[in-house]
Amino acid sequence: MRIGIIGTGVAGSLLAEGLEGFDVTAFERVAPGDQAEAGTGLNIGPNALKALRLNRTARHAALRAASLPWQRWFIDLADGTRLFNLDLREVAEEPGVRIRWSELYRLLRAPVAGCTRSAHALEALEEDAAGRLVPVFRTPGGLVRDGGFDLLVGADGRYSRLRSLAAGEPEGTLLGVCIWRLLVTEAGDCPYDDYGQWFNGNARLLSFRVPGGAVYIAGTFPLGIDRQIPDAMKTAAAQRALFTPADAPPCPAVAWMLAKIDAHVAEIHWARSAIVPVLRHALDGRALFLGDAAQAMVPTLGQGATQAVECGVIAANVLRAGGDAAAVATARDQRVEFVRQFSMESSDTLLPPVDVQAGTAKKRQPDYLAKLRKLYTEVV
Ligand SMILES: Cc1cc2nc3c(=O)[nH]c(=O)nc-3n(C[C@H](O)[C@H](O)[C@H](O)COP(=O)(O)OP(=O)(O)OC[C@H]3O[C@@H](n4cnc5c(N)ncnc54)[C@H](O)[C@@H]3O)c2cc1C
């Protein structure tokens, strides 16, 4: 069986590595060694680490070596009042990781470089006489084809070209919040380390240290009725007003982040949180979708890349055992549905009229912690 993988991000790289020995070719839009588009940092959940520990020992070790452990999750108000403080080991078998995007892509792409054609961006889809899919790629030298594939895997992310060619453009649903990201590289004086969230009303800062002396900061705030991000909000002054408590000074952590926003507002990447409906396969099972291409979700629990890890590892196991796209759906879709619903449920405090203190109190209750335990440990 000839398998083509579109995209060597998280899911695609892990799938290609897991199918070593099979007839696999991966196609990646970016040029070799170019991780420039992957600018910031991320946290990857303990469930992804468990999937790697049980299935890919070398990748697990490489990820640990290139990252800091994600061991704690605390939630404060912007004045420093602590609402929630969880040691992840209470609900997981091992910590997650905090890592830079560029490092994550580098260490996942390295083992599959031999089967990857870089600077190949999927553009169109054709069929050969045997009914096999023939992807058409844009390369620096023009359009190229590489023959027919029995199975084509869309691991090309949230705006999957394969998905739109095979099944039409998916209709996204906006959550109604803006999410921005910033990587601060001169962060020696940062007053915190592990994963924290700071709320002022429903506006939230999220931040943690990543390797190399850098700090990742993400800001979230509710959008108005038309769901657009007003230009007026993309200024340091507007962000300072958003995250400064009305009746108290900001705590040292928030004050530090506000100073970094002042200095780096031009580097901030602005986006809107959205989900798309799950689609695991199309074209009678000849196209299979993994990671964001199949299941883009809200980033609230940090499960996007984490689920892409699970997808890459589990799909490789299923295909190695002779399974098809429908078998991957059986192995993945119930789990993904649980994670998507739990991520939405956990987004409650990002939107009015939910009161942050009451919403956070719910996260200390046994039923929420039981769901976290299921999320972090029940990896197939
Ligand atoms: C603001 C924000 C914060 C986030 N934070 C976290 C977090 O902390 N933790 C977490 O787990 N997740 C996080 N996520 C989610 C995470 O970014 C994604 O879920 C994850 O990258 C999906 O992995 P993937 O393998 O499906 O796709 P990607 O990692 O996006 O990889 C897709 C690959 O396909 C390639 N490609 C794209 N189009 C083509 C084409 N036409 N032809 C060939 N190749 C192509 C791309 O170059 C890329 O290499 C966040 C997302 C956002 C927006």
Side-chain angles (χ1 to χ4, degrees):
M1 174 154 95
R2 188 166 188 235
I3 300 173
I5 300 172
I6 313 297
T8 54
V10 179
S13 297
L14 284 166
L15 176 67
E17 187 185 4
L19 292 176
E20 198 188 346
F22 282 62
D23 183 2
V24 171
T25 310
F27 301 92
E28 170 53 50
R29 182 176 56 184
V30 303
D34 179 7
Q35 266 83 249
E37 98 274 19
T40 57
L42 80 161
N43 53 308
I44 298 183
N47 42 319
L49 275 295
K50 180 172 180 179
L52 293 173
R53 174 165 50 85
L54 297 181
N55 295 277
R56 299 292 163 69
T57 324
R59 218 44 45 217
H60 181 268
L63 198 53
R64 282 260 172 249
S67 64
L68 296 172
W70 172 28
Q71 208 147 293
R72 192 158 284 287
W73 171 15
F74 63 86
I75 303 176
D76 288 356
L77 295 178
D79 66 6
T81 308
R82 181 132 303 176
L83 303 180
F84 179 89
N85 189 2
L86 179 70
D87 185 330
L88 286 197
R89 290 166 301 183
E90 288 174 29
V91 288
E93 293 168 12
E94 61 179 298
V97 294
R98 295 172 273 147
I99 191 166
R100 292 167 83 135
W101 265 112
S102 49
E103 272 301 287
L104 177 67
Y105 275 172
R106 190 188 57 73
L107 70 88
L108 293 181
R109 285 174 178 162
V112 299
C115 72
T116 302
R117 309 255 158 90
S118 298
H120 278 59
L122 177 69
E123 184 145 315
L125 204 52
E126 298 171 350
E127 234 179 81
D128 66 14
R132 302 193 311 169
L133 297 175
V134 179
V136 183
F137 298 97
R138 170 128 341 246
T139 72
L143 291 181
V144 301
R145 291 167 182 76
D146 192 21
F149 291 85
D150 303 291
L151 180 67
L152 215 47
V153 183
D156 48 346
R158 180 171 280 262
Y159 305 103
S160 169
R161 181 78 178 148
L162 183 62
R163 178 166 172 171
S164 68
L165 290 168
E169 202 70 54
E171 199 167 322
T173 305
L174 292 169
L175 178 63
V177 304
C178 170
I179 177 155
W180 59 252
R181 290 172 282 174
L182 175 66
L183 187 73
V184 177
T185 50
E186 80 303 342
D189 60 343
C190 175
Y192 51 86
D193 174 21
D194 212 342
Y195 180 100
Q197 298 175 341
W198 295 261
F199 279 91
N200 190 39
N202 295 105
R204 187 194 75 184
L205 287 164
L206 178 163
S207 189
F208 48 84
R209 284 178 179 269
V210 290
V215 166
Y216 169 70
I217 309 176
T220 307
F221 58 90
L223 290 171
I225 198 80
D226 68 353
R227 314 247 152 152
Q228 299 300 320
I229 308 170
D231 283 343
M233 291 307 294
K234 296 182 182 176
T235 65
Q239 293 299 309
R240 181 171 283 279
L242 197 58
F243 294 113
T244 301
D247 45 10
C251 66
V254 170
W256 187 86
M257 286 183 267
L258 292 175
K260 296 303 170 188
I261 295 168
D262 281 345
H264 298 284
V265 70
E267 296 154 41
I268 287 179
H269 173 268
W270 305 87
R272 293 177 296 169
S273 272
I275 55 167
V276 298
V278 177
L279 180 71
R280 187 62 59 197
H281 51 79
L283 302 175
D284 302 319
R286 291 174 297 165
L288 166 69
F289 305 106
L290 299 179
D292 273 8
Q295 65 212 18
M297 58 186 76
V298 291
T300 311
L301 282 176
Q303 283 289 314
T306 306
Q307 286 303 309
V309 169
E310 287 192 16
C311 264
V313 168
I314 290 163
N317 289 351
V318 170
L319 296 175
R320 287 189 82 83
D324 58 8
V328 175
T330 304
R332 286 300 292 147
D333 288 0
Q334 217 179 332
R335 165 88 174 152
V336 164
E337 200 45 52
F338 159 71
V339 177
R340 281 163 63 94
Q341 277 182 16
F342 190 30
S343 294
M344 280 303 271
E345 177 190 332
S346 302
S347 306
D348 59 344
T349 44
L350 299 180
L351 282 165
V354 173
D355 174 74
V356 169
Q357 302 209 36
T360 305
K362 277 200 217 151
K363 296 186 170 70
R364 295 193 301 262
Q365 298 304 311
D367 59 334
Y368 188 88
L369 294 175
K371 280 190 192 170
L372 266 186
R373 193 168 294 111
K374 175 174 168 155
L375 174 70
Y376 290 149
T377 61
E378 290 189 12
V379 179
V380 180

